[in-house]
Amino acid sequence: MSRKYKPDKRIVTYYFFAVVFLIVLFPFAATLLFPGSRHPGLQNHSIEIPETVTIYRTATDTYDTVDFEEYVAGVVAAEMPKTFHEEALKAQAVASRTYALGRILAGRKLCDSVHCQAYRDYNIPRKVRNAVKATCGQILTYDDELAASALYFSSSGGPTENSEDVFQTAYPYLTSVSSDYEPDATHRNEKTTMKISDFSTAVKNAFPELNFGKITKKNIKIRSHTRGGRVAVIKVGGQTLSGTDIRKALSLSSARFTVSFDKGKIIITSNGCGHGVGMSQYGANGLAEKGKSYEKILSHYYRGTKVEG
C-alpha cells in the first residue's frame, strides 16, 4: 500500500511566488524594458500615438515616412510664424498633433499641403523644436475621447464660429468664443472692389448649376449672420448663398464681410483670415502675450477639452 503524497511546503511557496511574478510583476517589468509603439507620454492613456507617419508630398507625387514628432515640428514651422510667443507655438503643436492623429485613426492620409496641414522638413527654428519637445506626446481630449477635429485658422477679426455654421457638423468643443485680442493680425479691413458685372460673372462661374438671373445692386443683400458674426446667408440675384460660398467664389480671406456699392461697383470689406472654426493663431499669440499658458489657450478655443499625455 503506497503512502499518501504530501507536497513540500518550500516547493509550494516557490510556485506561488513564480505565479505572482508572471501575472503581476512581469507585465510591469516588460512595459519598462519594452515600451512598444505607445508614446512614452501616453503610457496611461488608451490613445496610442504612432512612432512614424507617412506623408504624401504634393510637389513630387511621392510618399515619405518620418518620425511623428518630427512631422509635428514641420507642421508648426509651416503653419505658425516663428516670431510667435512660445506658448502659442506650444498650443499649435498640441492642436496639430491632435488633428493629425485624428486623421490617422480615421484611416485618412496626410499630405504636406493646407488640405491636411502644411508641412516642411527644412529650416525648422530651434524655438519651434523646443515648443514641440515641451509638449511631446500631448493631445487634446474631450470626454476621454480624442478631440480629432482640432481645427485652427489664421485670424478671426472677432468671435470664432460654431463648427456647424461653417462645416455642417457640430462638435461640442468647436463653439463660438471670443477672439478679440489679435493686435498684430493681418487681413484687416481688406477691400475687394469690382464692377457688379464682374461680380456676377465670378459668382455664376463658381455655381454654374444655379440660375441667378440678372444680378444687380438691388438683389445683392446680406440676409443673416452666424453667431460669430460672419455672413450666414446672402441673396444674390434669384438665389441665396452662404458667406462661405461667396468667400470661395471671390477668393476672400474671410466670410466676415460687409457689402457696399459706389458708382456701379460693389465693395466687399472683409476681416480675418480663414474659416473661423477652432483656434485663431493670432488670437493664441495675443493670449500668450497676455501671460496665458498654452493649456489656457487651448481650453479657451476648444471648449471642454483637456491636454493629456
Side-chain angles (χ1 to χ4, degrees), residues 101-123:
L101 185 57
R103 289 186 67 89
I104 293 169
L105 294 179
R108 301 169 70 185
K109 295 180 180 179
L110 291 174
C111 68
D112 60 1
S113 76
V114 293
H115 176 265
C116 301
Q117 296 185 105
Y119 164 80
R120 71 172 191 241
D121 57 2
Y122 58 89
N123 294 338

Side-chain angles (χ1 to χ4, degrees), residues 83-105:
T83 56
F84 275 20
H85 194 283
E86 291 85 351
E87 295 302 303
L89 291 168
K90 291 176 186 178
Q92 180 68 58
V94 175
S96 293
R97 186 181 294 109
T98 302
Y99 183 79
L101 185 57
R103 289 186 67 89
I104 293 169
L105 294 179

Side-chain angles (χ1 to χ4, degrees), residues 161 165-168 207 226 230-234 241-252 254-257 274-275:
E161 293 291 353
D165 289 338
V166 178
F167 300 114
Q168 285 75 55
F207 303 98
T226 62
R230 289 162 181 79
V231 174
V233 177
I234 180 171
L241 299 173
S242 70
T244 299
D245 290 335
I246 294 297
R247 179 194 170 204
K248 291 179 179 178
L250 302 181
S251 298
L252 302 176
S254 170
R256 186 189 300 281
F257 61 81
H275 48 66

Side-chain angles (χ1 to χ4, degrees), residues 261-273:
F261 301 91
D262 182 46
K263 299 178 181 180
K265 293 184 177 182
I266 182 171
I267 304 167
I268 300 177
T269 305
S270 62
N271 279 280
C273 182

Side-chain angles (χ1 to χ4, degrees), residues 157-209:
T160 67
E161 293 291 353
N162 293 329
S163 59
E164 65 269 26
D165 289 338
V166 178
F167 300 114
Q168 285 75 55
T169 302
Y171 295 95
Y173 50 87
L174 294 178
T175 59
S176 180
V177 299
S178 64
S179 188
D180 299 325
Y181 197 73
E182 301 181 354
D184 300 318
T186 57
H187 303 285
R188 291 184 173 188
N189 295 317
E190 290 185 335
K191 293 186 182 298
T192 301
T193 303
M194 64 180 70
K195 294 178 181 178
I196 294 177
S197 60
D198 292 336
F199 172 85
S200 175
T201 299
V203 171
K204 288 180 178 179
N205 286 342
F207 303 98
E209 73 281 6

